[in-house]
Amino acid sequence: MANPIFANLPTTIFEEMSGLARELGAINLGQGFPDDPGPAAVRQKAADAVLNGYNQYPPMAGLPELREAVAAHYRRAQGLDLDWKSEVTITSGATEALAAAFLGLIQPGDEVVVFQPLYDAYLPLIRRAGGVARLVTLQPPHWRFDRAMLEAAFTPRTRFVVLNNPINPAGAVLPAEDLALLAEFCVAHDAVAICDEVWEQVIFDGARHVPLMALPGMRERTVKIGSAGKMFGLTGWKVGFLCAGAELSRALARTHQFLTFTTPPNLQAAVAWGLENSGGWFEEMPASLQRSRDRLAQGLKREGFVTLPAQGTYFLNIDLPASGVAEDDRAFALRAVKDAGVASIPVSALYEQDHVRTILRLCLAKADATLDEGVARLAKARELSRSG
């Protein structure tokens, strides 16, 4: 009786690997959540709002103070001029924001350009809305696209493009020339860009995030999605930001009202406070994660593993063949969690076709001791793979 789009889906790779980690007592370098509990002052504001604040239905589009804070944050950080009243909607996490965008905008038969590897929620939601996915395959180590790739993907029926930047699982930040090229195609094909930018604050080496919305011709044809969970390292809070021009926002908000309708008011109040009062966090958090990236990369290098550049997100990737692993990524990931006690994510699981089977994704947002032990266990898994 179930809809076949969902009934035929396998268990997500994140649930599979995290489930094995729990069952086997393995170190979990798979699913992307940090060991750090997040900024104490923001968590305290949420607790105080539960005890002393308003706990009934907040406005459907979100608390006014949070919508104002989101607009102000993006003005300071990215130079965007958003009208909080008509262009910002608060959702129950970025995945709900994606669902509102896909279900609220896509009409049956619309073609949607999507880059893989990809977040595994994209394709089921696009297809449930009646969209037809046109896949562009990105390859390691640089994960870039070019004009020929876009020309092959865009057609007269293209209505939308989905962009994740910074890219999960690649850990890559798209350069300015790639963003300009994509904007050119969106304008030429009158396509709307749905931009999953949840990692926008988690960028390393002094780089700055450039939203596609800021490029010429993209202001009124971009849906920008952000995540307080990623900004503050509070992944269980599920507070998302859905930003778009007023015309698009009307459709998005009307869809949101029939999905989750609203989001817990105490979390919204705490995020609003955090956006206005946690400037130091937005400097300290990526610097701390950059140190973790470097520690993990250096530990892996000492053990003879080869890693790909990681410019942002919580993730660092291993090139398995270059590291002396002959197994494909899924076989090695299963061996590592079952026989060596460390969970990871095989990147091939995030492709639908033309799978890249040589890359293993690790979460770097962990305590030093966890990272160090994870490296040791991965080295053990490699030895088991060679002997096996």
Side-chain angles (χ1 to χ4, degrees):
M1 298 294 290
N3 186 287
I5 291 173
F6 296 105
N8 296 328
L9 290 175
T11 301
T12 174
I13 189 65
F14 307 109
E15 181 60 25
E16 179 185 5
M17 288 299 174
S18 290
L20 285 170
R22 290 190 296 269
E23 177 186 338
L24 301 170
I27 289 175
N28 192 349
L29 298 185
Q31 196 165 10
F33 57 87
D35 281 349
D36 187 281
V42 176
R43 291 184 284 120
Q44 183 59 51
K45 286 292 179 182
D48 182 68
V50 167
L51 295 175
N52 303 304
Y54 182 79
N55 287 285
Q56 308 307 326
Y57 290 126
M60 178 273 294
L63 293 179
E65 57 262 42
L66 177 53
R67 295 162 69 199
E68 287 186 82
V70 169
H73 172 77
Y74 284 138
R75 186 178 304 112
R76 290 190 302 269
Q78 299 174 14
L80 295 176
D81 184 17
L82 295 167
D83 177 4
W84 71 267
K85 292 182 180 179
S86 63
E87 298 184 323
V88 179
T89 304
I90 305 304
T91 61
S92 293
T95 302
E96 195 242 315
L98 287 162
F102 295 150
L103 298 175
L105 300 179
I106 296 172
Q107 297 188 47
D110 285 348
E111 290 189 355
V112 185
V113 173
V114 188
F115 299 92
Q116 58 170 5
L118 45 74
Y119 178 43
D120 58 4
Y122 292 167
L123 296 183
L125 290 170
I126 289 168
R127 288 169 178 152
R128 190 65 185 93
V132 178
R134 300 273 297 177
L135 295 174
V136 177
T137 300
L138 306 182
Q139 298 280 351
H142 301 299
W143 313 98
R144 295 182 63 180
F145 52 83
D146 58 25
R147 181 173 297 275
M149 295 163 72
L150 296 187
E151 286 175 345
F154 278 76
T155 80
R157 294 180 295 279
T158 299
R159 296 291 177 268
F160 301 93
V161 59
V162 180
L163 179 69
N164 175 216
N165 183 41
I167 304 172
N168 170 23
V173 177
L174 288 174
E177 54 265 39
D178 291 28
L179 295 175
L181 179 63
L182 184 60
E184 175 192 327
F185 272 75
C186 288
V187 172
H189 289 263
D190 194 23
V192 170
I194 299 172
C195 294
D196 177 354
E197 300 185 352
V198 299
W199 300 103
E200 59 198 344
Q201 295 292 152
V202 189
I203 296 182
F204 308 138
D205 304 314
R208 306 289 292 183
H209 175 69
V210 177
L212 193 66
M213 179 182 273
L215 270 63
M218 296 306 296
R219 177 63 174 80
E220 298 302 322
R221 65 173 67 255
T222 301
V223 176
K224 174 180 171 60
I225 294 171
S227 166
K230 300 302 190 298
M231 285 183 174
F232 293 106
L234 298 164
T235 59
W237 277 27
K238 307 303 291 180
V239 179
F241 316 140
L242 190 54
C243 305
E247 184 177 352
L248 284 172
S249 283
R250 280 192 291 272
L252 298 171
R254 288 168 181 166
T255 309
H256 159 70
Q257 72 180 340
F258 294 118
L259 291 173
T260 63
F261 180 71
T262 191
T263 299
N266 67 305
L267 301 183
Q268 292 194 53
V271 171
W273 184 90
L275 289 173
E276 294 293 329
N277 295 279
S278 297
W281 170 262
F282 294 131
E283 300 295 330
E284 297 158 10
M285 175 267 293
S288 175
L289 289 170
Q290 182 175 320
R291 288 191 294 271
S292 295
R293 176 203 65 178
D294 294 344
R295 185 183 189 97
L296 180 57
Q298 290 162 8
L300 289 166
K301 182 178 180 180
R302 284 194 297 271
E303 293 290 348
F305 288 95
V306 175
T307 60
L308 302 184
Q311 302 163 306
T313 77
Y314 288 165
F315 309 115
L316 179 70
N317 289 300
I318 294 175
D319 181 330
L320 292 176
S323 302
V325 176
E327 292 179 300
D328 70 27
D329 59 346
R330 177 169 174 82
F332 183 73
L334 289 171
R335 182 188 296 276
V337 70
K338 292 178 179 179
D339 299 338
V342 56
S344 57
I345 297 295
V347 168
S348 62
L350 304 178
Y351 286 80
E352 182 172 78
Q353 62 189 37
D354 303 321
H355 301 74
V356 172
R357 302 186 184 277
T358 59
I359 307 297
L360 196 72
R361 192 195 81 170
L362 305 177
C363 178
L364 58 86
K366 303 295 180 182
D368 288 352
T370 302
L371 296 175
D372 294 346
E373 181 62 21
V375 169
R377 295 186 184 194
L378 284 165
K380 177 184 176 183
R382 183 179 55 190
E383 293 307 309
L384 292 171
S385 174
R386 287 170 171 171
S387 64

